[in-house]
Amino acid sequence: MIPTSISTAISYPNAKPHLGHALEFVQADFLARYYRLQGSEVFFQTGLDEHGQKIYRTAAEAGMEPHAFVEQQQHLFRGLLEALNIKPDRFIRTTDTDHREMSQAMWKKCFDAGDIYKKTYRAWYNVKEEEFLASADDVKDSSTFGVDMKFIELIEEENYFFRLSKYYDKLVNVLESKAYEVVPSNRSHEVLNFIKGGLQDVSISRQKDKLPWGIPVPGDDSQVMYVWFDALTNYLTGTATLNGDTIVPNQFWPYSLHCVGKDIARFHAVMWPAMLLSAGLELPHQLLVHGFILSDGRKMSKSIGNVVDPHEAISVAGTDATRWYLLAEIPTLDDGDFTLERLRAVYASDLANDFGNVVSRVVAMCKKYCEGGVPQVASEQVENLEKTLISEAWQQYHAHIMERQIDKALEVVKGMVVFCNRRIEEQKPWAMAKEVSRKAELEELLYELIEMIRHVSVMLLPAMPNTIEHLHSTVFSGIPDEVCHSVEWGKTPPGLKLPEEGIILFPRLES
Ligand code: MSP
């Protein structure tokens, strides 16, 4: 089995998770489920970024110790994952002991490579983004772009620095050659342009007397690691062990795919590979950079007051419809809009009217016209049906997923559902049923439709697992999973008994 490793960014648990977090979780979960269905051995990691000034400050404002604060906050993120039906193989917290040890081992590797040195430093820092600002212009920009200036502070202290500048050539090379591929290509160009503008060494520690909340720097009690050095190492913690100070990666290293938002692409495309090059570790294969969730065209933000709580979306339309919206309605590689009204509209059209309706109609017609089950068509008839259309649809579906355009892959599925509904309208099986001479034609049509529904359902499995598992355990019950999940045409057994009850996958929403 091919090992495949997929991660999301680790979230700051300073506030409750919002729909942007949900988007990233669902995208990564879709890909993890997709690769599992392809037969890969998948490792899927997500978790929390619990150190740094932002958490330290938020905990203090809540009158809590940072430890107790993150302990309380973690449940909000675990709760959201559960509500979205996501079960990561590892939910990492950067306060975990193995992570502290891995970060220290990583530090030592970079130090031994001669890439860490100490110097006195004076710079502006954005606490909200946990990011140093390169110049006075950046400070001005922050205020112009509406960053609350209470988050911008001047830091003057002795820090450790990482020799990022040393990796200029190698970084340009790995990104240009796509040895480490940034998707989509416009994000890759942005990162390359940034690098080509010149790389400065970066501060990777803070004085402990000013910020005590972090992982201690090995061999220097007066310093803790800069939160990003510690955070990026989380990917290694999940996929490697330590033998003394030696980092021993497992079969999931190097990472197949890191899924992150556009605001943190640079950390992942510049700092992270440079750290790995310094430590002599292999680079990940791919960085998927998704866009942002907007609400009515504007970034969701607490200050604008347009934040949608993912639990609210789930309570309105359910887990799978929320997952569907995030995957199919938001372009995977671009920004997209979310409103509860639109969620309801998409539920009614794509899910209830199109997909749900075709399933209940086809199952009902098979039962009515074909002795309560899947039509008894002969195997040579099965061969002649919509085989080509289906195999083309599968090719397009896979190709879009390879391009990391999940929305486009689901567009293909929507097209198949529309095709099935149109075929019913055009062919009018109820009219065929009135003429005995058209029995064979009717059976072929209904077999074709139910087999297409099976294919559609397999394509939808990574997007809406609960709904599809329900469909499989009712309509296709008794077929072993490997047959039911087969992408070959004609695997639905002719004569299969269908459930007595009507099938309603998407009941009408309460208004
Ligand atoms: N802790 C860092 C990541 C460290 S990874 C080594 C961080 N945390 S975050 O909580 O601010 O963001 C977590 C993820 O959510 C990021 O990938 C970020 O881009 C994503 N999103 C945050 N707001 C978002 C939207 N409004 N829309 C979509 N995703 C966004 O950054």
Side-chain angles (χ1 to χ4, degrees):
M1 275 204 288
I2 308 165
T4 304
S5 34
I6 296 175
S7 67
T8 68
I10 47 172
S11 316
Y12 293 125
N14 59 305
K16 44 180 198 173
H18 52 66
L19 215 52
H21 294 113
L23 172 78
E24 187 169 303
F25 294 154
V26 170
Q27 287 180 343
D29 183 60
F30 176 95
L31 292 169
R33 288 176 186 271
Y34 169 83
Y35 280 104
R36 275 196 188 108
L37 278 170
Q38 298 305 302
S40 289
E41 186 192 5
V42 174
F43 176 76
F44 172 35
Q45 172 164 320
T46 183
L48 297 177
D49 191 354
E50 299 187 340
H51 291 124
Q53 195 149 347
K54 177 155 63 174
I55 300 289
Y56 187 66
R57 196 189 267 190
T58 318
E61 281 165 7
M64 293 175 83
E65 285 299 319
H67 242 299
F69 178 70
V70 292
E71 198 56 32
Q72 158 198 297
Q73 295 295 101
Q74 61 150 332
H75 298 293
L76 300 172
F77 286 81
R78 288 187 192 271
L80 176 59
L81 289 169
E82 205 171 306
L84 291 167
N85 190 13
I86 296 175
K87 299 174 193 71
D89 299 296
R90 169 93 193 247
F91 182 84
I92 195 165
R93 297 176 58 196
T94 52
T95 47
D96 290 342
T97 308
D98 64 344
H99 176 70
R100 190 190 62 233
E101 289 167 356
M102 188 60 77
S103 302
Q104 290 176 331
M106 185 68 184
W107 180 286
K108 284 189 212 152
K109 281 263 172 209
C110 298
F111 188 87
D112 291 346
D115 289 338
I116 294 182
Y117 63 95
K118 212 170 185 184
K119 80 167 185 190
T120 305
Y121 184 53
R122 188 170 186 273
W124 291 93
Y125 190 75
N126 178 339
V127 177
K128 199 163 177 221
E129 306 297 338
E130 297 284 10
E131 193 170 13
F132 287 99
L133 302 172
S135 63
D137 278 352
D138 285 352
V139 178
K140 230 175 27 218
D141 284 354
S142 305
S143 99
T144 323
F145 292 128
V147 175
D148 187 335
M149 292 314 274
K150 81 172 186 208
F151 292 114
I152 309 290
E153 47 187 59
L154 188 63
I155 289 180
E156 192 167 9
E157 49 186 61
E158 192 173 40
N159 287 167
Y160 286 98
F161 272 68
F162 176 72
R163 271 185 227 286
L164 186 62
S165 56
K166 175 175 153 188
Y167 291 96
Y168 179 93
D169 290 333
K170 284 191 177 155
L171 287 172
V172 169
N173 182 280
V174 296
L175 294 170
E176 275 183 347
S177 68
K178 299 192 180 168
Y180 179 27
E181 186 186 15
V182 177
V183 178
S185 55
N186 60 329
R187 297 279 171 224
S188 177
H189 294 145
E190 271 173 26
V191 169
L192 274 159
N193 285 341
F194 168 78
I195 297 175
K196 288 179 180 170
L199 283 181
Q200 309 283 325
D201 292 352
V202 285
S203 164
I204 50 163
S205 74
R206 298 293 314 275
Q207 260 176 235
K208 203 168 169 180
D209 55 356
K210 301 207 173 133
L211 175 66
W213 183 236
I215 296 183
V217 164
D220 187 344
D221 276 350
S222 69
Q223 299 266 330
V224 297
M225 288 179 201
Y226 169 44
V227 64
W228 273 98
F229 190 94
D230 140 18
L232 289 163
T233 306
N234 91 84
Y235 304 122
L236 193 57
T237 309
T239 51
T241 48
L242 282 177
N243 184 359
D245 278 344
T246 310
I247 298 170
V248 188
N250 67 20
Q251 76 270 35
F252 294 109
W253 187 265
Y255 247 90
S256 316
L257 177 89
H258 295 308
C259 176
V260 303
K262 59 182 180 180
D263 55 332
I264 59 169
R266 247 186 232 177
F267 284 104
H268 284 81
V270 183
M271 187 168 171
W272 178 224
M275 285 165 62
L276 293 171
L277 287 165
S278 169
L281 291 161
E282 280 185 89
L283 301 188
H285 293 301
Q286 202 176 57
L287 181 68
L288 184 172
V289 183
H290 62 75
F292 266 27
I293 294 244
L294 311 174
S295 180
D296 282 331
R298 300 166 84 192
K299 185 177 177 211
M300 267 191 196
S301 101
K302 257 196 274 180
S303 47
I304 302 176
N306 59 353
V307 173
V308 178
D309 181 340
H311 291 286
E312 198 182 347
I314 294 168
S315 72
V316 165
T319 297
D320 278 353
T322 304
R323 289 176 61 106
W324 169 264
Y325 190 102
L326 294 173
L327 293 167
E329 286 293 304
I330 310 281
T332 316
L333 303 176
D334 212 337
D335 294 347
D337 218 58
F338 188 104
T339 58
L340 290 172
E341 294 74 54
R342 184 90 192 104
L343 172 65
R344 284 175 185 280
V346 166
Y347 181 100
S349 60
D350 292 359
L351 301 181
N353 284 353
D354 288 352
F355 180 51
N357 195 28
V358 83
V359 171
S360 55
R361 278 176 101 184
V362 170
V363 170
M365 287 190 291
C366 283
K367 282 194 304 194
K368 189 162 170 196
Y369 305 137
C370 307
E371 293 91 40
V374 172
Q376 297 272 8
V377 291
S379 55
E380 59 282 7
Q381 283 169 292
V382 170
E383 280 297 297
N384 293 333
L385 300 170
E386 291 296 345
K387 226 176 131 177
T388 324
L389 184 115
I390 283 288
S391 81
E392 276 167 12
W394 272 113
Q395 272 170 27
Q396 287 171 14
Y397 173 85
H398 291 309
H400 288 313
I401 294 176
M402 289 306 118
E403 292 157 3
R404 309 303 177 210
Q405 306 210 58
I406 301 170
D407 55 317
K408 296 245 169 75
L410 297 178
E411 195 70 50
V412 172
V413 188
K414 278 195 253 180
M416 286 169 61
V417 170
V418 169
F419 174 89
C420 290
N421 274 321
R422 202 182 318 126
R423 206 139 163 80
I424 297 173
E425 291 313 312
E426 286 168 4
Q427 301 284 315
K428 301 185 180 35
W430 50 90
M432 291 180 183
K434 290 191 181 129
E435 298 172 47
V436 184
S437 60
R438 299 183 75 191
K439 187 163 191 313
E441 200 186 339
L442 172 66
E443 287 180 343
E444 271 184 29
L445 173 67
L446 290 177
Y447 184 86
E448 171 187 286
L449 288 168
I450 197 132
E451 177 64 353
M452 282 187 100
I453 287 173
R454 188 184 66 77
H455 282 266
V456 163
S457 75
V458 182
M459 289 178 176
L460 290 177
L461 195 47
M464 299 193 287
N466 275 341
T467 306
I468 302 303
E469 279 157 21
H470 171 66
L471 174 67
H472 286 177
S473 65
T474 49
V475 174
F476 300 106
S477 72
I479 316 181
D481 270 358
E482 63 280 13
V483 179
C484 187
H485 295 170
S486 169
V487 299
E488 262 178 66
W489 181 258
K491 287 289 176 189
T492 301
L496 180 78
K497 276 275 158 269
L498 292 170
E500 293 299 317
E501 303 279 295
I503 298 285
I504 299 176
L505 293 180
F506 297 99
R508 193 182 287 274
L509 293 183
E510 283 166 31
S511 47

